[in-house]
Amino acid sequence: MAGGGAAAAAPPLSSPWRALLQRALDANAHLRHSTYFQLATVGAGGRPANRTVVFRGFQEHSDKIQINTDARSNKIGERRNCPFGEICWYFTDSWEQFRISGSIDAIDGSSADPAKLQNREKAWFASSVRSRLQYLGPQPGVPIIDEEQVKDVRLDPSADPVEAFCLLVLDPEKVRQHFCYTTC
Amino acid sequence: MAGGGAAAAAPPLSSPWRALLQRALDANAHLRHSTYFQLATVGAGGRPANRTVVFRGFQEHSDKIQINTDARSNKIGERRNCPFGEICWYFTDSWEQFRISGSIDAIDGSSADPAKLQNREKAWFASSVRSRLQYLGPQPGVPIIDEEQVKDVRLDPSADPVEAFCLLVLDPEKVRQHFCYTTC
């Protein structure tokens, strides 16, 4: 499904839930956090793990959901034990919840698949330079909140993805949507 | 830790994260969704499950987090396989995330512990009558959005919890807080 196929095949028809999700994204577009959702995985000892991540768009010609992450983060190790995730995406203005579960692929620089590496590169350049800087920090999972931290860090805007940059791709298998006026 | 102890023991000192969480709740109190968070559990086949739930306060004299749910929902069956959960609570105005993991206790009407049953009853009466109505519906997980659905349902406001009403209590073992200006 990754881009770069030889034949000029027509893109597949979008899944029905895509239209609902797009409507929710449009209705909540004025809110910065409308592109944030919670990604659950199964972590150490088989326990659940849950964190906020940012929607980085769909993979070209597919319904796969892209998320940028740090290759050093727990998410990567967890994926080896259980390659599945469930997104819970709550839109605060339309009171609408999407639960999207599926398998997760993690693409770092060591991938042997040229199409995947190309997608990773696209995701890197689609991020702001400021956003890319977090992958140069000494440890993952620590957002840059102090300008002092980064003022001496230089990043050539045309430079390729750094080693720590990893693209997560969730391939939706099951999607549930409903409105949540009370407990979801 | 449940209320109703015989001795008039002083309440234990609150955990340090309680003050941070209270500050976030205060700072975001103008937003209805500030009391909503995402609860991850491990579901069928060991896969992660994730959904939005509503914070129903702390259990008296403890740091345990209360959530109302429907005893017929998947969360209950999942708990039997893996009694742990992780809350991801993102405050959209202060850009602050709390990840709270711990064990989950589910208290329905069959509990043999009088103190737990008392907590369940308190949680029931602390809910609005409208909120209680959802536990009278034919199936769980379907919020009441159509007034037609409920106009013929009668509920005596002084009536005890119905069978489907279940109180979930998450006992925090690990709490992480940070600000999320970019990906968390």
Side-chain angles (χ1 to χ4, degrees):
Chain A
M1 190 44 57
L13 283 175
S14 230
S15 307
W17 57 266
R18 276 286 290 271
L20 293 175
L21 183 60
Q22 193 56 54
R23 193 187 59 187
L25 278 164
D26 292 345
N28 294 269
H30 57 292
L31 299 168
R32 182 194 155 105
H33 63 259
S34 64
T35 57
Y36 294 9
F37 53 68
Q38 280 69 40
L39 174 68
T41 53
V42 177
R47 293 195 184 194
N50 206 5
R51 78 288 282 166
T52 307
V53 294
V54 181
F55 175 58
R56 301 289 182 176
F58 292 99
Q59 196 169 82
E60 225 172 22
H61 309 308
S62 88
D63 290 327
K64 294 180 183 176
I65 290 171
Q66 299 188 129
I67 299 156
N68 295 345
T69 194
D70 194 305
R72 300 164 295 178
S73 74
N74 290 339
K75 288 191 277 302
I76 304 304
E78 288 162 5
R79 221 197 106 266
R80 280 187 217 110
N81 299 323
C82 174
F84 300 100
E86 182 158 86
I87 288 168
C88 183
W89 200 341
Y90 182 69
F91 290 94
T92 57
D93 245 30
S94 57
W95 296 359
E96 206 173 348
Q97 172 177 270
F98 289 79
R99 295 176 65 177
I100 307 171
S101 60
S103 59
I104 298 177
D105 192 13
I107 308 167
D108 63 17
S110 70
S111 173
D113 184 331
K116 289 185 178 181
L117 286 174
Q118 193 182 34
N119 284 332
R120 173 174 176 262
E121 196 175 280
K122 277 185 193 167
W124 172 257
F125 288 112
S127 303
S128 69
V129 172
R130 183 178 166 78
S131 173
R132 291 177 221 168
L133 282 175
Q134 69 183 297
Y135 300 99
L136 299 178
Q139 52 179 313
V142 180
I144 295 161
I145 57 170
D146 182 358
E147 292 293 338
E148 289 296 311
Q149 273 185 287
V150 294
K151 71 176 185 185
D152 293 328
V153 179
R154 299 267 180 277
L155 179 66
D156 175 358
S158 65
D160 283 341
V162 296
E163 198 180 335
F165 181 72
C166 181
L167 176 65
L168 294 183
V169 181
L170 185 138
D171 189 2
E173 285 175 22
K174 186 175 177 185
V175 179
R176 287 164 287 180
Q177 176 265 6
H178 71 230
F179 292 95
C180 301
Y181 290 97
T182 58
T183 306
C184 293
Chain B
M1 190 46 56
L13 283 174
S14 231
S15 306
W17 57 266
R18 276 287 291 271
L20 292 175
L21 183 59
Q22 193 55 55
R23 192 188 60 188
L25 278 163
D26 293 344
N28 294 269
H30 57 292
L31 300 168
R32 181 192 156 107
H33 64 259
S34 64
T35 58
Y36 295 9
F37 53 70
Q38 281 68 39
L39 174 68
T41 53
V42 177
R47 292 195 184 194
N50 206 4
R51 78 288 282 164
T52 306
V53 293
V54 181
F55 174 56
R56 300 290 182 176
F58 292 98
Q59 197 171 80
E60 225 171 19
H61 308 309
S62 86
D63 290 328
K64 294 179 181 175
I65 289 172
Q66 300 188 130
I67 299 156
N68 295 346
T69 193
D70 194 304
R72 299 164 296 178
S73 73
N74 290 338
K75 287 191 278 303
I76 304 303
E78 288 163 3
R79 221 198 106 264
R80 280 188 217 109
N81 300 323
C82 174
F84 298 101
E86 183 157 87
I87 288 168
C88 183
W89 199 341
Y90 183 68
F91 290 93
T92 56
D93 246 31
S94 56
W95 296 358
E96 207 172 346
Q97 171 176 268
F98 289 81
R99 295 176 66 178
I100 306 171
S101 61
S103 59
I104 298 177
D105 192 11
I107 308 167
D108 63 15
S110 70
S111 172
D113 184 332
K116 288 184 178 180
L117 286 173
Q118 193 181 32
N119 284 332
R120 174 175 176 260
E121 197 176 277
K122 276 185 193 168
W124 173 257
F125 288 112
S127 302
S128 69
V129 171
R130 185 179 166 77
S131 173
R132 292 178 220 168
L133 282 174
Q134 69 182 299
Y135 299 100
L136 299 178
Q139 53 179 310
V142 181
I144 295 161
I145 56 171
D146 182 359
E147 292 293 338
E148 289 297 310
Q149 271 184 287
V150 294
K151 72 174 185 184
D152 293 328
V153 178
R154 299 269 182 276
L155 179 67
D156 175 359
S158 65
D160 283 341
V162 297
E163 198 181 335
F165 180 72
C166 182
L167 176 65
L168 294 183
V169 181
L170 186 139
D171 189 3
E173 285 175 24
K174 187 175 175 184
V175 179
R176 288 164 287 180
Q177 176 265 6
H178 71 231
F179 292 95
C180 302
Y181 290 97
T182 58
T183 307
C184 293

